[in-house]
Amino acid sequence: MKSKMSRVVQSLLAIITFFMVWEIASRFLQKTLLPSPILVFRQFPVLFHEKESWLHLEASFYRVFLGLFFSVVGGFLLGLGMGTFKKIATFSDALVYFTYPIPKMALLPIVMLLGGLGDQSKIIMIVLIVLPQVTIAVRDAIRDIPKNYYDVYRTLKASKLQCFWAITLPATLPAIFSSVRVSLGTALSILFFTENYGTEYGLGYFIMDSWTRMDYPSMYGGILVLAICGFLLFLTIDLITHYLFRWRKN
């Protein structure tokens, strides 16, 4: 209980420190380009009532959720195949190592041409970032499982499905959540960039639109909303991993 309270207090101190530094920088510069965080927070009711920021938030969350969902499911299946079937290991490894280093932003024109300017292309960009990391993490987790674990279950006449539920799945779940946590920040950055093309809804569009209008309080408000969304996603992943993997030392 004390450790949990300590984490909460430290998290609050970190957030307070961030806003204190922001406030000091705003007072030091004294420019409209960097408004006070107090002014930005006062702008929040206007953002959600008059400017309907909740529509932008809904659009961005929808894209992130679907992108992460398809990445986790697809990455798990691909990693499972790559880690289980040794006959295709060399071929699959070479394919991943050749395609993974390609900058995903370089693929944006191709994705937009094939997937259009709507939600589909934005979701595909998120999948292109997160799926390879999940795939590699799952593959490595399966290959690191000691073979004697399966031998023990086979001596007990366990089926392949029982071995999967008892050994393979528990070994790969931590790798999945870790890879999603690592790639989440990059996925949000890509989402912000892609939402400036072919759409009128999304936090990326809202932030850039506020910037072009020189509405800096709204711009920083949109950035804060995006940061809060990312924070809540990270927190959700941490809570899920905490309850699923209680056997692990924190």
Side-chain angles (χ1 to χ4, degrees):
M1 186 65 181
K2 290 183 179 180
S3 61
K4 291 182 179 180
M5 288 300 299
S6 177
R7 290 182 179 180
V8 172
V9 171
Q10 291 179 12
S11 299
L12 290 175
L13 286 176
I15 295 173
I16 292 172
T17 301
F18 171 80
F19 286 110
M20 286 180 62
V21 173
W22 182 358
E23 177 68 25
I24 293 171
S26 175
R27 296 194 178 194
F28 178 77
L29 291 176
Q30 293 184 350
K31 293 182 179 180
T32 56
L33 182 62
L34 185 63
S36 167
I38 298 175
L39 179 62
V40 174
F41 280 118
R42 288 177 180 173
Q43 188 74 5
F44 266 48
V46 178
L47 292 180
F48 285 95
H49 291 286
E50 296 182 12
K51 301 189 176 183
E52 298 182 334
S53 293
W54 59 274
L55 292 175
H56 299 281
L57 176 60
E58 182 182 6
S60 294
F61 182 80
Y62 169 78
R63 293 159 185 161
V64 170
F65 176 79
L66 284 184
L68 292 178
F69 175 78
F70 290 131
S71 298
V72 170
V73 174
F76 175 76
L77 294 177
L78 289 173
L80 181 64
M82 292 169 62
T84 304
F85 302 104
K86 296 182 179 179
K87 293 182 179 180
I88 64 170
T90 303
F91 172 82
S92 59
D93 289 350
L95 184 62
V96 169
Y97 294 155
F98 179 75
T99 58
Y100 183 68
I102 298 175
K104 303 307 179 286
M105 290 308 303
L107 301 176
L108 179 59
I110 301 174
V111 172
M112 295 181 70
L113 286 173
L114 297 177
L117 300 176
D119 291 338
Q120 186 175 355
S121 60
K122 297 166 180 58
I123 294 171
I124 291 174
M125 287 300 299
I126 295 176
V127 172
L128 288 176
I129 293 170
V130 182
L131 184 140
Q133 298 193 38
V134 175
T135 301
I136 294 174
V138 172
R139 181 205 64 181
D140 292 343
I142 292 176
R143 292 180 180 178
D144 289 339
I145 299 175
K147 294 182 179 179
N148 61 319
Y149 286 10
Y150 292 101
D151 294 336
V152 171
Y153 270 77
R154 290 191 185 101
T155 57
L156 298 175
K157 297 183 179 181
S159 64
K160 291 183 177 180
L161 183 60
Q162 289 174 324
C163 290
F164 171 79
W165 285 108
I167 301 174
T168 308
L169 185 61
T172 56
L173 281 178
I176 292 174
F177 284 102
S178 295
S179 59
V180 171
R181 187 186 291 110
V182 169
S183 56
L184 181 58
T186 307
L188 290 175
S189 300
I190 294 295
L191 177 66
F192 167 80
F193 187 83
T194 56
E195 284 182 338
N196 288 282
Y197 298 93
T199 183
E200 294 182 355
Y201 292 101
L203 289 175
Y205 170 82
F206 176 80
I207 292 170
M208 294 303 295
D209 182 66
S210 300
W211 174 65
T212 56
R213 298 173 186 271
M214 292 187 291
D215 185 1
Y216 297 121
S218 296
M219 182 187 75
Y220 282 97
I223 294 173
L224 272 182
V225 172
L226 185 61
I228 292 171
C229 289
F231 177 79
L232 292 177
L233 286 173
F234 277 114
L235 187 62
T236 301
I237 293 174
D238 286 343
L239 289 175
I240 293 175
T241 54
H242 173 74
Y243 285 104
L244 285 181
F245 316 124
R246 294 183 180 182
W247 49 270
R248 302 177 70 188
K249 293 182 179 180
N250 296 323

